[in-house]
Amino acid sequence: MRICVYGAASPTIDPEYKEKVEQMGKEMVARGHSLVFGGGGHGLMGAAARGVRSAGGYIFGVIPKFFKEEEIEAIFDECDELHQPDTMRERKQMMEDNADAFMIVPGGIGTFEEFFEILTLKQLCRHNKPIAIYNLKGYYNELLHAIEKATEKNFIRGGCLDLFCVSEDLNELFAYI
C-alpha cells in the first residue's frame, strides 16, 4: 500500500517527534508499504523518508519547483521518484492520486490544511481511503476537541469523527489502514 504522510517540515522540531516518525517509516516498510510525501528533507517529512529509506522502502516525493528555485526547503535527495509540479495545488493532487491511505503526523498550517482537505473530500464521498492521525504526545488533542465542539454545535456533520482513526499506537493505526 502507498501511504501518504503529511507532517511538519520544520528543522527545529523536538528530536523525540523525529525519532518516533522515523521509526514509523521503518515500520511502514516492515509491513510492506511505501511512502508518498511532500519531498522535504527536514522535520517530520524528512524523518519519515529517512525511516523508509533506511529500511529499504520505496519513496515517491512531490515538491513544487519553486521550493528548490527559491531555496524554501531542503529536498530529500533519496527519493525513488521525485516529481516537481509548478504549484502547491498540483503537489497535493499528485500526492492524493498516488496514495492508498493517509497518515497525519504532527505538523503546522500546511499539515492542517492537507488533513482538512482530504477529510472534506472523504466526507463528500470523493474518496474512501483510510485517514489515520498519529497523535504523538497528544499533539492533536486540542484540534480534535475543536472538531468535537463544532460537531456538537452542528457546524460539522455528525459522524465526521468516524471518518478517521486517531491513536498514539502505531499498531492500531496500521491495523486501521
Side-chain angles (χ1 to χ4, degrees):
M1 180 176 290
R2 298 168 301 178
I3 300 175
C4 179
V5 173
Y6 294 133
S10 173
T12 60
I13 295 167
D14 177 342
E16 184 178 353
Y17 287 102
K18 292 179 191 176
E19 290 165 14
K20 293 207 180 259
V21 171
E22 190 167 330
Q23 185 58 42
M24 180 197 77
K26 292 175 184 176
E27 186 63 28
M28 284 173 58
V29 175
R31 293 171 183 258
H33 306 304
S34 63
L35 173 66
V36 174
F37 85 124
H42 291 304
L44 301 187
M45 275 199 291
R50 283 190 304 277
V52 169
R53 175 55 60 223
S54 71
Y58 190 86
I59 301 172
F60 182 98
V62 185
I63 194 161
K65 290 176 190 172
F66 71 88
F67 274 56
K68 183 175 183 178
E69 295 166 353
E70 298 174 24
E71 298 181 7
I72 292 173
E73 182 178 326
I75 298 172
F76 186 75
D77 59 3
E78 295 182 51
C79 295
D80 294 288
E81 282 185 67
L82 181 64
H83 298 269
Q84 296 184 5
D86 292 321
T87 68
M88 292 293 283
R89 288 184 189 272
E90 292 171 324
R91 175 198 207 187
K92 289 188 307 179
Q93 190 65 58
M94 286 184 79
M95 291 167 66
E96 291 169 23
D97 290 346
N98 285 281
D100 300 308
F102 302 94
M103 180 79 78
I104 292 81
V105 301
I109 292 171
T111 304
F112 298 162
E113 188 267 340
E114 291 162 333
F115 165 63
F116 280 115
E117 181 169 341
I118 60 164
L119 178 60
T120 300
L121 291 171
K122 188 168 184 176
Q123 186 175 42
L124 295 171
C125 301
R126 301 298 95 188
H127 74 82
N128 193 29
K129 299 173 183 180
I131 301 170
I133 296 179
Y134 191 17
N135 195 24
L136 286 170
K137 297 171 72 170
Y139 182 82
Y140 282 108
N141 289 351
E142 288 82 9
L143 182 65
L144 296 166
H145 181 72
I147 294 171
E148 289 170 4
K149 286 297 177 191
T151 302
E152 287 173 14
K153 295 177 181 186
N154 296 316
F155 287 98
I156 296 176
R157 289 184 200 161
C160 178
L161 293 169
D162 298 330
L163 297 176
F164 56 94
C165 177
V166 181
S167 182
E168 193 168 344
D169 182 335
L170 277 177
N171 288 322
E172 184 178 339
L173 294 175
F174 282 119
Y176 173 78
I177 287 176

